[in-house]
Amino acid sequence: MDITVQWIRTYWTKQSRGGEAAARRNAAPTGFRLPPSPLTGAHCVRMDEEDAFAPRETGRPLRDVGVSLREQDGRLRVHARVGPLFGLPPRPRRPPAVRLRPGQWVRWQLNYRFSSSLGIRGWSYWLDTFNVAYGPVDRDVFLADPTLVVDERGPVR
């Protein structure tokens, strides 16, 4: 069965927490059109504050993407892995994995806040968005509304 994964990571600092920079960050898409050639791994998109959140697209092997995927009994089990344990917000209770039927897709979002070592450079933030589809899809699949949404974004003040 076909599995399509899109991983979007958005990076920012305190400079994009308010005003026009925050508006640009908040306007960043949560889904992108897939590349024209067949994917052999994940479609990755990175958006950074220093580039005014312009998307940069690459490909990566599925094993390098922070999501666990397992096919079983005609369904796809999807669970996002939490990044570095030292990031905030704390996640004492995580949602369970979702099980997709063919033709369904999930959008799973997690956010993080980090301090630099010794607190010298201030806070940095990132948002991971995982779009995962099960079954054949067209290039615009992640531009539509997902079948399921898992929102693990928490307070990162």
Side-chain angles (χ1 to χ4, degrees):
M1 185 60 78
D2 294 324
I3 300 170
T4 305
V5 176
Q6 184 176 76
W7 175 22
I8 303 166
R9 178 166 279 177
T10 307
Y11 287 100
W12 69 97
T13 67
K14 183 179 175 182
Q15 295 170 347
S16 293
R17 291 215 21 140
E20 289 181 28
R24 276 194 305 276
R25 174 178 52 84
N26 290 331
T30 55
F32 288 85
R33 189 170 204 216
L34 295 168
S37 59
L39 290 174
T40 57
H43 176 228
C44 300
V45 181
R46 180 175 167 153
M47 295 179 286
D48 293 316
E49 172 186 83
E50 63 188 32
D51 297 327
F53 303 103
R56 292 181 306 185
E57 300 180 54
T58 61
R60 296 185 77 179
L62 285 178
R63 70 178 177 277
D64 293 347
V65 177
V67 66
S68 171
L69 306 168
R70 186 173 66 221
E71 286 182 290
Q72 185 177 11
D73 300 326
R75 291 186 175 206
L76 178 66
R77 180 185 183 277
V78 179
H79 196 256
R81 294 191 293 265
V82 171
L85 297 177
F86 54 86
L88 293 174
R91 301 180 204 281
R93 296 189 61 161
R94 301 220 33 238
V98 297
R99 299 187 191 298
L100 300 177
R101 291 187 177 107
Q104 294 183 325
W105 71 278
V106 62
R107 174 169 290 142
W108 197 308
Q109 292 187 294
L110 301 113
N111 62 340
Y112 302 89
R113 179 186 79 183
F114 301 95
S115 70
S116 64
S117 59
L118 304 175
I120 297 170
R121 292 183 11 211
W123 299 105
S124 61
Y125 306 85
W126 87 49
L127 170 67
D128 279 336
T129 300
F130 299 102
N131 295 318
V132 180
Y134 190 47
V137 296
D138 64 26
R139 293 181 57 205
D140 294 334
V141 63
F142 298 132
L143 301 179
D145 291 330
T147 310
L148 300 165
V149 174
V150 180
D151 188 347
E152 281 195 85
R153 293 176 293 173
V156 290
R157 297 187 186 262

